[in-house]
Amino acid sequence: ELASNDPFSDEVLNHLRYFSKISSLAISNSNLRRELLINERDASILKEINKITHNVVNAEDAWVPISQFVDLLNSSLYPAGICLYTHQDRKGAPLISKVERGLPSKYGQLEDLALTTTNAQNQIVKHRDGTKKNMVCSPLTYKGVFFGLITVVRKKSGQEAMALFNTEELNILGKIANSIAQSLRDISLNDEIKIEKKRVTSLHTVMKYMKSIKANRDDPQKIMKTLAEVVDGIIGVDRVTIFALDEAKQELFCVASKSGSVQDLKLKVGEGIAGTVAKTGKAVIIKDVYACPDFTPDVDKSTGYLTRNMMCMPICDTWNKTLAVIQLLNKEHGDFDSLDEEMMAKFCEELAPAIKQVILESQFDDETRADHEEVHISNLVDQFKKSKGRSVSFAGNVCHRPVSAGGQLRSLSLVRTNMESSLPPIIGGKTFLSMESIQDFDFDVLEFSHEALVPVIITMFVHYDIPSHFSIEISVLDAYIREVMSSYQNHPFHNFYHAVAVMHVAFMLLSIGGADDYLEMTDIAGILLAALVHDVDHPGNNNDFESKTFSTLSMKYNDRSVLENHHAATAFMIARRPKLNIFKSFSTDDFRYTRKIMINAILNTDMATHLDMLKRLVVLADNLAGRDPESAFDVTDMESREGLVCMIVHAADISNPAYPQFEMTKKWCLKVCEEFSLQAKREKSLGLEPTPFMDGLETEYDIAKMQIGFVNIVILPFWKAVGTLLPKIAFLVDNCKRNVGKWNEIVNQGPEQLSLNLPVRKKTEMFKPHQHLFPR
């Protein structure tokens, strides 16, 4: 009623002031009530959180309390949907939806957002039907560790759906999310405890059956059955089958099976799941075998069995060479997981040696050679000796050299003569070369097949009457040699040919060099055996590589003569098998002494010991000045004989530069340089500095320069000392000098030469290094 320009009266102003105060009190009261309600709600939520948290400890199913947390969030925010994502099995696995309320995963880019969220995000997302709604996505972290995330989609529609979650709602989400994260942490810890308990139980199971495995060493089928039972005890499956690999036939054959008549089952390598695993060497876990293209249902159809899931794993030796495949069908509780794979991998690694032994012995039993041909060989040798009317007596355990009728020591050269005349040219279908052709430094093992070299090796043993003296059956010696042969890997240099070449030179130093005059029978047997096995199962790289890569063997032998220790151990492990035990008839004293000198000789092939041995030989050679060379050695002195044994084996190991023909020296040199180059490439691929003298060997000029320095500094001084101590083979020193001259001729031609084009070896032919504990 007042004119527009008239001022408010005092009365009106007083009314306004009063109304303002009343409104202010009302608003303040409303805020207090609202805060009280919020506090009551927060207290109620905290109370529920505490109650649920307590249930986490006591709940049989740890996911029940997690679902209760999600229900609490659902009743507090009334959202359109909630989804909790976490790792499926273990940390590091893909995130999957574990608890859902509503269908939030259908809202726009929720899945992509869920997999990339690291911080809480409060944003608008688009529904597939075109409507827009607000969603908040919060990570579940506890003490910096990420366990999953939770997403909440607002329920309100229209314009209200576009409003972001407010601070109070985000606080509620934060409290519950923190509690869920703690619960997930507890679940994770409980899972780890269960896993460790399972690991310990598995270990106890393995240890429990190890005694049974050892007790049944002579019964392969019992061992395999035991292994199948161990696997069932570790994981719990309906069926376990172990397939052995026949490399020659490229075939898998069943050697043990639990709960299933598949004993006669054979599979081709590369076919089916087991065949594919044998070919690739990689384990597989299949949750639905009928969805796998490699699965062949023929066995299911023929037996009426239904396979659901499967884990198939290779069983490998030290060099990752597949020996067998183990197949597990239908896990009793759920699907196979990464923990099952981890435990089975450790189990297979521990029991691979036992499985290898079982497979080899099983194969030996199947070969008629063991039962027929080798017995025939032994009988023919015995008959031939009897037809010659030869009888040799020995002096018992103390001195193992032949004695005359008067009891005096006879020279072993007499035995050499007798044995040369007594060895038949053909035994059991095997051609034995004449001693005249073998007893020559020009004898080239590379001109023969592996098979043809077996009788050559036997001939060298028989030359010294070792099988007869130690009662070693020829069939057992033949089987041992063949197993050693198969245990050498296919490397350019460190292979079976190198073993036979070293054994041959050692034989030459004994027979032509006259070293056998200063040794007993046990010494000679030890030298020939040590030379044969001195590099068995060599990986194609040196000790330094093993140490630099922290290989299993370097850990086992503490970086001390790693490979040499492995070679010696492998040689005696082979001999532990009943049908390969060449030491079976040795007396206890003879075996202990032979084992001792073999191990010493093999360990002294480590080039790290070269200089120390050279110093001792130089002192010994200097002391001979003006005296009879025979005074250097004393056959009655055990220490003297042991030193001579080590000298002979090491000299034979580095004898390539001493061959009479340069072409032989060159062939072996190119082989060792090829192996050096492979190691250098391997080192580079692992990010290691390549070994200097192994890198850059691309032309004959490069190799010739390396050889000149190596022979002049390392080889010649050693052979000069050997030539002084064994003057009958001093001409080998001249051979070294003459071959150095040939290398000098190559160097004088200049470096402008074509690459050697060393043969490129297939991956399967390249060396297989030991497993590395710390892969780079």
Side-chain angles (χ1 to χ4, degrees), residues 666-724:
K666 184 178 177 181
K667 276 194 295 187
W668 282 109
C669 182
L670 293 180
K671 287 179 176 295
V672 76
C673 287
E674 181 186 354
E675 196 165 295
F676 284 170
S677 297
L678 289 173
Q679 177 172 328
K681 290 178 183 178
R682 176 71 176 170
E683 288 169 331
K684 291 177 182 177
S685 70
L686 293 174
L688 301 172
E689 188 71 24
T691 304
F693 67 85
M694 295 185 180
D695 196 23
L697 301 175
E698 299 176 356
T699 66
E700 282 193 6
Y701 175 83
D702 300 324
I703 293 174
K705 283 204 309 178
M706 181 194 72
Q707 278 296 295
I708 292 169
F710 177 69
V711 175
N712 284 333
I713 296 172
V714 179
I715 303 300
L716 258 178
F718 191 87
W719 274 106
K720 285 180 180 179
V722 173
T724 302

Side-chain angles (χ1 to χ4, degrees), residues 374-392:
E374 292 180 358
V375 173
H376 182 57
I377 293 171
S378 180
N379 291 337
L380 283 176
V381 171
D382 291 340
Q383 291 172 13
F384 199 87
K385 288 179 179 178
K386 290 177 182 178
S387 69
K388 289 291 182 178
R390 186 172 58 84
S391 177
V392 180

Side-chain angles (χ1 to χ4, degrees), residues 404-606:
S404 65
Q408 300 297 317
L409 287 174
R410 293 172 53 196
S411 170
L412 284 173
S413 60
L414 296 178
V415 179
R416 294 199 301 270
T417 304
N418 288 336
M419 290 308 300
E420 180 179 350
S421 63
S422 66
L423 189 68
I426 298 179
I427 299 180
K430 298 182 177 69
T431 301
F432 282 74
L433 299 175
S434 67
M435 182 52 61
E436 182 180 355
S437 61
I438 295 175
Q439 209 167 30
D440 189 338
F441 277 105
D442 281 328
F443 180 75
D444 188 357
V445 300
L446 295 174
E447 294 180 356
F448 298 85
S449 67
H450 283 184
E451 185 69 24
L453 289 174
V454 174
V456 171
I457 295 169
I458 294 176
T459 300
M460 288 187 278
F461 281 113
V462 173
H463 177 78
Y464 280 107
D465 209 19
I466 289 170
S468 175
H469 176 67
F470 293 106
S471 300
I472 305 173
E473 295 179 16
I474 295 295
S475 61
V476 175
L477 179 61
D478 182 82
Y480 180 82
I481 293 169
R482 292 176 184 278
E483 180 56 26
V484 168
M485 177 175 68
S486 68
S487 296
Y488 271 95
Q489 297 189 47
N490 185 26
H491 300 305
F493 181 81
H494 288 102
N495 51 38
F496 184 63
Y497 282 114
H498 170 64
V500 181
V502 171
M503 181 183 181
H504 175 255
V505 173
F507 173 76
M508 294 294 290
L509 295 179
L510 288 168
S511 59
I512 300 299
D516 55 6
D517 288 332
Y518 313 113
L519 297 167
E520 296 185 1
M521 288 291 283
T522 44
D523 300 314
I524 294 173
I527 287 172
L528 295 179
L529 286 169
L532 177 64
V533 303
H534 80 283
D535 275 331
V536 65
D537 202 25
H538 197 289
N541 50 255
N542 62 7
N543 284 329
D544 184 55
F545 182 88
E546 295 291 322
S547 297
K548 287 193 297 187
T549 54
F550 305 103
S551 71
T552 304
L553 288 183
S554 72
M555 298 293 105
K556 182 176 182 179
Y557 295 114
N558 300 314
D559 296 330
R560 296 180 181 177
S561 298
V562 175
L563 295 179
E564 289 73 23
N565 272 297
H566 177 62
H567 304 323
T570 301
F572 284 100
M573 287 299 294
I574 292 174
R576 289 184 65 182
R577 302 171 198 166
K579 295 184 180 181
L580 307 179
N581 188 1
I582 56 175
F583 302 108
K584 180 180 179 180
S585 298
F586 278 55
S587 69
T588 301
D589 289 340
D590 281 352
F591 174 69
R592 286 177 177 171
Y593 179 75
T594 305
R595 172 171 161 78
K596 175 184 176 183
I597 63 171
M598 283 180 64
I599 292 173
N600 284 342
I602 295 171
L603 292 181
N604 275 279
T605 61
D606 185 353

Side-chain angles (χ1 to χ4, degrees), residues 331-400:
K331 185 177 178 181
E332 293 176 358
H333 303 290
D335 293 323
F336 294 100
D337 55 32
S338 55
L339 175 60
D340 296 328
E341 182 180 1
E342 178 187 336
M343 287 193 297
M344 278 305 302
K346 292 183 182 297
F347 171 75
C348 291
E349 181 181 340
E350 290 297 325
L351 293 185
I355 291 175
K356 182 177 181 181
Q357 174 184 336
V358 169
I359 293 170
L360 289 172
E361 291 185 7
S362 177
Q363 289 173 341
F364 271 119
D365 288 338
D366 294 337
E367 294 177 2
T368 58
R369 172 176 58 81
D371 294 326
H372 300 286
E373 183 183 354
E374 292 180 358
V375 173
H376 182 57
I377 293 171
S378 180
N379 291 337
L380 283 176
V381 171
D382 291 340
Q383 291 172 13
F384 199 87
K385 288 179 179 178
K386 290 177 182 178
S387 69
K388 289 291 182 178
R390 186 172 58 84
S391 177
V392 180
S393 60
F394 296 92
N397 292 333
V398 179
C399 180
H400 307 292

Side-chain angles (χ1 to χ4, degrees), residues 93-156:
L95 290 172
I96 65 166
S97 175
K98 295 287 283 189
V99 181
E100 291 185 0
R101 297 292 183 270
L103 297 174
S105 57
K106 293 183 179 180
Y107 284 86
Q109 304 119 346
L110 175 59
E111 294 292 339
D112 293 336
L113 179 63
L115 296 176
T116 57
T117 297
T118 56
N119 296 305
Q121 296 185 8
N122 189 9
Q123 56 185 270
I124 304 299
V125 294
K126 189 176 182 180
H127 191 282
R128 297 189 191 280
D129 62 9
T131 61
K132 294 181 179 181
K133 291 193 176 183
N134 174 239
M135 182 193 75
V136 64
C137 192
S138 176
L140 303 172
T141 59
Y142 183 79
K143 293 186 177 180
V145 179
F146 179 82
F147 291 99
L149 54 87
I150 190 167
T151 57
V152 183
V153 177
R154 185 178 285 282
K155 187 175 183 179
K156 294 177 181 178

